[in-house]
């Protein structure tokens, strides 16, 4: 049986910089230990005429990155995040041209498309806040009349960028809070209904925004919080929860994203501050069941997926609400809070799944290929531990890429 090669595909940012390179270094080292060759590349590194890729390879012996011409990998782990540049068009062209390769994960919709797809499943729909696409100001006012808290979210936003909240106050006015597109917290404003459209006129709401029912996730100290759950395919091709953690936003923030200055906390500790033990167990069971239902439903539509992060809110009655799904999750919090074995598991699982795909779908005839099985929603093997969505900083010297070749 031939050795499997996994190509981790990403996009350059700025002047040909690669985000998460320190994480890819860890994946290269782990892959080598598992017998999996790992290479890093972007669509810009592809030489179609030569049928080769000028990839980055991490040399563990020399502890540095090398550039090498490599044949196309049969397995691709797509870590490309949306960006409004020509590079995203190159990515789409690569996916179209090389769709015959085996991808661990295939692209999904933006937030609105995902919401509509999930809403088609009754078991998931009951956990979704009401959400519509912004078309006119009356759409927003309908939500403001119906709900005491309303969020406006960019359809393609990440890390809390461009999110606005409007909370109804006594006297019929609304408290506007949020972050701009650079993720900077904007000064809170108390507005009359008539002032809202004027204040938001520069936000391009009609083109890119969703309106969403707000779930009150404010802690006693005034900070917001939510939970991020990570579910991944394991080395048997089965879905399994890797972990879940609370995220607490900084003061005056409407989001809990760690990139925006939030902090991570134990899911268990946060829930026990609000609910008794029986309620905490019921919430955990509901989150587990929901996560499996979500990935099964999405995979039926998008075919191949390998991991998914769910952003979850728990209201004051203990109901579980699904706010968003993220198919390109990160996993730094395990490292931050000392959950080193769980952090390692979160890194290893895509590699182990790649090996499983290689052995069961690439090396064997299709008639004998093993199909994915689904893990029962009984929670066995599903580990709830603290987690969030950032990656460890480049603290050790060998994380700094050294190029040659």
């Amino acid at each position: 049986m031939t050795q499997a090669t996994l190509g981790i595909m990403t996009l350059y940012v700025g002047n040909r910089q690669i985000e998460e390179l320190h994480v890819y270094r860890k994946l290269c080292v782990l892959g080598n230990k598992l017998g999996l060759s790992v290479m890093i590349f972007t669509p810009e590194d592809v030489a179609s005429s030569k049928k080769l890729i000028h990839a980055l390879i991490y040399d563990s012996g020399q502890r540095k990155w090398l550039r090498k011409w490599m044949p196309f990998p049969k397995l691709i782990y797509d870590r490309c995040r949306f960006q409004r540049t020509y590079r995203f068009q190159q990515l789409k062209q690569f996916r179209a041209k090389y769709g015959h390769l085996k991808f661990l994960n295939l692209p999904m919709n933006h937030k609105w498309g995902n919401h509509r797809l999930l809403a088609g499943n009754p078991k998931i729909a009951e956990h979704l806040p009401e959400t519509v696409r912004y078309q006119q100001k009356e759409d927003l006012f309908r939500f403001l009349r119906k709900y005491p808290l309303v969020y406006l979210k960019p359809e393609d936003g990440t890390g809390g960028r461009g999110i606005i909240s409007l909370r109804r106050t006594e006297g019929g006015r609304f408290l506007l809070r949020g972050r701009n597109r650079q993720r900077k917290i904007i000064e809170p404003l108390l507005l009359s209904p008539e002032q809202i459209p004027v204040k938001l006129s520069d936000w391009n709401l009609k083109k890119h925004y969703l309106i969403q029912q707000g779930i009150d996730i404010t802690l006693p100290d005034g900070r917001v919080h939510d939970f991020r759950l990570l579910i991944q395919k394991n080395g048997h091709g089965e879905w399994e929860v890797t972990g879940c953690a609370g995220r607490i936003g900084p003061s005056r923030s409407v989001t809990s994203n760690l990139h925006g200055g939030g902090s991570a906390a134990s899911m268990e500790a946060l829930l026990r501050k609000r609910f008794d033990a029986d309620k905490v167990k019921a919430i955990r069971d509901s989150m587990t069941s929901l996560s499996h239902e979500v990935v099964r439903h999405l995979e039926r539509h998008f075919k191949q997926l390998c991991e998914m992060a769910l952003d979850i809110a728990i209201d004051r009655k203990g109901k579980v609400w699904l706010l968003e799904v993220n198919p390109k999750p990160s996993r730094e919090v395990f490292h931050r809070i000392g959950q080193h074995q769980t952090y390692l598991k979160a890194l290893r699982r895509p590699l182990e799944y790649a090996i499983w795909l290689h052995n069961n779908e690439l090396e064997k005839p299709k008639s004998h290929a093993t199909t994915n099985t689904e893990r029962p929603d009984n929670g066995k093997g599903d580990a709830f531990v603290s987690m969030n969505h950032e990656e460890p900083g480049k603290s050790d010297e060998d994380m700094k890429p050294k190029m040659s070749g």
Side-chain angles (χ1 to χ4, degrees):
M1 188 174 290
T2 59
Q3 183 185 39
T5 298
L6 176 67
I8 299 179
M9 183 170 64
T10 184
L11 293 178
Y12 288 124
V13 294
N15 186 24
R16 292 177 65 86
Q17 301 298 310
I18 293 181
E19 293 181 320
E20 298 188 310
L21 193 60
H22 52 295
V23 180
Y24 300 152
R25 179 189 66 82
K26 295 176 185 290
L27 292 174
C28 290
V29 173
L30 284 172
N32 185 57
K33 292 178 179 178
L34 294 171
L36 177 71
S37 175
V38 180
M39 54 186 273
I40 317 300
F41 74 99
T42 81
E44 293 181 62
D45 301 319
V46 175
S48 298
S49 60
K50 300 179 182 179
K51 298 183 180 179
L52 294 172
I53 297 176
H54 202 212
L56 274 174
I57 307 294
Y58 186 75
D59 188 314
S60 298
Q62 300 183 63
R63 297 181 67 176
K64 68 179 182 180
W65 290 98
L66 306 174
R67 281 281 185 186
K68 291 186 178 181
W69 285 104
M70 300 287 291
F72 276 73
K74 291 183 179 179
L75 288 165
I76 294 180
Y77 180 26
D78 186 344
R79 290 290 299 173
C80 302
R81 294 190 174 99
F82 177 76
Q83 55 177 256
R84 292 186 181 279
T85 71
Y86 69 92
R87 287 168 173 156
F88 200 77
Q89 296 306 312
Q90 290 178 330
L91 169 64
K92 292 168 70 174
Q93 292 167 8
F94 178 93
R95 287 169 174 164
K97 186 172 184 178
Y98 301 104
H100 61 282
L101 300 175
K102 190 69 177 177
F103 287 76
L104 273 63
N105 50 336
L106 294 176
M108 289 173 48
N109 297 322
H110 288 326
K111 293 177 184 178
W112 176 236
N114 288 334
H115 176 85
R116 288 194 300 173
L117 178 61
L118 293 170
N121 182 322
K123 293 181 180 179
I124 301 172
E126 63 181 281
H127 295 278
L128 297 176
E130 184 181 359
T131 305
V132 300
R133 210 171 197 171
Y134 186 100
Q135 310 240 343
Q136 55 188 349
K137 63 181 181 181
E138 184 50 40
D139 298 328
L140 175 58
F141 283 119
R142 179 172 65 83
F143 269 66
L144 292 175
R145 289 191 294 267
K146 188 174 182 179
Y147 302 111
L149 177 64
V150 173
Y151 278 86
L152 290 160
K153 297 182 175 182
E155 196 169 341
D156 60 356
T158 59
R161 293 180 178 88
I163 293 182
I164 305 163
S165 76
L166 287 161
R167 183 184 292 273
R168 189 188 308 142
T169 66
E170 294 182 8
R173 298 215 284 176
F174 294 87
L175 179 64
L176 183 148
R177 301 166 64 197
R179 291 178 180 268
N180 62 21
R181 282 284 188 171
Q182 289 70 48
R183 207 189 279 137
K184 183 179 179 181
I185 296 175
I186 61 177
E187 287 297 321
L189 289 172
L190 198 58
L191 303 173
S192 67
E194 294 76 20
Q195 291 174 312
I196 293 174
V198 178
K199 184 62 183 177
L200 298 179
S201 59
D202 295 333
W203 287 71
N204 206 8
L205 299 180
K206 193 171 183 178
K207 190 173 181 180
H208 298 300
Y209 268 77
L210 304 178
I211 311 170
Q212 188 172 83
Q213 167 193 354
I215 309 301
D216 192 352
I217 50 177
T218 306
L219 294 170
D221 63 1
R223 295 191 294 171
V224 300
H225 79 294
D226 63 9
F227 298 89
R228 173 160 281 201
L229 179 147
L230 176 65
I231 183 169
Q232 298 173 294
K233 291 265 185 76
N234 61 22
H236 303 287
E238 302 171 345
W239 285 107
E240 189 173 342
V241 172
T242 301
C244 183
R247 302 183 303 176
I248 303 173
S251 177
R252 300 191 303 121
S253 173
V254 299
T255 65
S256 60
N257 306 75
L258 298 183
H259 284 299
S263 58
S266 161
M267 180 198 74
E268 192 79 13
L270 268 180
L271 288 177
R272 287 190 179 277
K273 287 181 179 179
R274 301 174 59 198
F275 306 102
D276 61 31
D278 290 341
K279 193 65 174 178
V280 169
K281 182 181 183 305
I283 291 170
R284 289 176 51 162
D285 290 346
S286 179
M287 293 168 77
T288 300
S289 177
L290 175 63
S291 67
H292 282 276
E293 189 67 36
V294 165
V295 292
R296 285 197 298 259
H297 185 71
L298 290 175
E299 195 163 39
R300 282 193 290 267
H301 184 80
F302 296 110
K303 307 304 180 187
Q304 196 79 20
L305 298 173
C306 70
E307 58 188 352
M308 191 71 57
L310 281 65
D311 290 347
I312 293 172
I314 310 297
D315 68 19
R316 299 188 184 282
K317 295 181 180 180
K319 179 176 178 177
V320 173
W321 294 90
L322 176 61
L323 303 179
E324 289 181 14
V325 294
N326 182 348
K328 308 288 174 61
S330 302
R331 62 260 296 153
E332 185 232 350
V333 71
F334 303 126
H335 176 82
R336 279 193 181 185
I337 64 174
Q339 296 281 353
H340 302 302
Q341 290 303 311
T342 306
Y343 175 67
L344 181 63
K345 184 188 296 184
L347 290 172
R348 284 173 60 105
R349 277 188 168 162
L351 305 178
E352 292 170 338
Y353 176 55
I355 294 171
W356 181 87
L357 279 177
H358 177 265
N359 294 339
N360 289 273
E361 296 195 12
L362 297 184
E363 289 291 293
K364 292 183 179 181
K366 289 187 177 180
S367 58
H368 299 293
T370 304
T371 57
N372 291 352
T373 56
E374 293 165 354
R375 199 171 185 84
D377 292 346
N378 57 8
K380 293 182 179 179
D382 286 345
F384 277 97
V385 295
S386 295
M387 64 157 290
N388 62 31
H389 75 297
E390 296 180 318
E391 299 287 0
K394 302 177 186 178
S395 57
D396 52 318
E397 185 65 24
D398 63 327
M399 285 181 181
K400 299 177 182 177
K402 304 170 186 175
M403 306 296 183
S404 71

